[in-house]
Amino acid sequence: MGASGRLLTGEALRPRFVDIPQAVGSWDWDIPNDRIYCDDIVASLYGIDSASASQSGYSLDMFVSGHHPSDRDWMNDAIRGAMQGTGTLVAEYRTQPEEGVEKWALVRARYYHDAEGRPMRARGIIVDITNSKLDGQAPSIARDLPDVHPLDRAAELCISAREVIATARKPFLLRLVDMVLLELGRELGKLAH
């Protein structure tokens, strides 16, 4: 026994991940049907109902309306440009989940096209970077990114793992995957600058 006179149990030794589940979320967009499905973290960044967001989804217009008014036009252009162009989007922008509330987000998205080049699906992660944007930096977008970076592939696999683990109702494993997604989001964000 240590100086405190108590034995540390496995529970006491387990690492604590305080804010990780609130920091990173994932989404999936069925482009032909204009339905974006997302988890509760993304829903909270946009101020939308999380049950509807995960089950029936929302339109792109609904999500764009959740962007900060000063970021709506350029983010809409960035989304459309990535969808028609390189297929990759990395941007830092603001959301407004409710009147008077401003959140910062980092998105990394990958767009998938059919054999004729029509956009069919997009998947991505969004990292809540509100606490790290207190420095007053302006929103930004990355351009001329390589089509697929190895970390993009890792993020795709983690998003898939997160979806499966969420259905298995394993909160500790979900926190671990969220932690990996957060770190991947940070690394992918560095590629944007």
Side-chain angles (χ1 to χ4, degrees), residues 161-182:
R162 187 181 196 285
E163 291 167 356
V164 172
I165 291 168
T167 63
R169 298 177 189 223
K170 297 293 183 183
F172 182 71
L173 292 175
L174 195 59
R175 286 186 190 122
L176 292 174
V177 172
D178 283 344
M179 192 167 92
V180 172
L181 276 170
L182 177 61

Side-chain angles (χ1 to χ4, degrees), residues 116-158:
E116 287 79 38
R118 292 179 300 231
M120 299 303 290
R121 183 178 187 193
R123 290 181 77 179
I125 59 172
I126 295 180
V127 181
D128 182 345
I129 58 170
T130 303
N131 292 338
S132 65
K133 291 300 283 187
L134 299 176
D135 57 9
Q137 289 181 352
S140 65
I141 184 168
R143 301 204 187 275
D144 302 322
L145 295 171
D147 248 0
V148 179
H149 190 277
L151 293 180
D152 277 320
R153 181 73 179 124
E156 282 286 319
L157 293 170
C158 280

Side-chain angles (χ1 to χ4, degrees), residues 61-78:
D61 288 341
M62 180 66 180
F63 277 88
V64 171
S65 71
H67 290 149
H68 187 279
S70 298
D71 295 348
R72 279 186 194 136
D73 289 341
W74 74 263
M75 270 302 293
N76 194 33
D77 291 345

Side-chain angles (χ1 to χ4, degrees), residues 52-111:
S52 295
S54 66
Q55 294 170 7
S56 57
Y58 285 100
S59 69
L60 174 63
D61 288 341
M62 180 66 180
F63 277 88
V64 171
S65 71
H67 290 149
H68 187 279
S70 298
D71 295 348
R72 279 186 194 136
D73 289 341
W74 74 263
M75 270 302 293
N76 194 33
D77 291 345
I79 291 166
R80 301 283 181 202
M83 185 169 52
Q84 300 301 326
T86 65
T88 304
L89 171 67
V90 177
E92 290 179 354
Y93 61 96
R94 294 165 292 176
T95 66
Q96 193 170 24
E98 60 185 77
E99 189 64 37
V101 175
E102 181 177 292
K103 297 279 190 173
W104 278 91
L106 167 67
V107 65
R108 178 75 178 197
R110 175 85 179 121
Y111 292 80

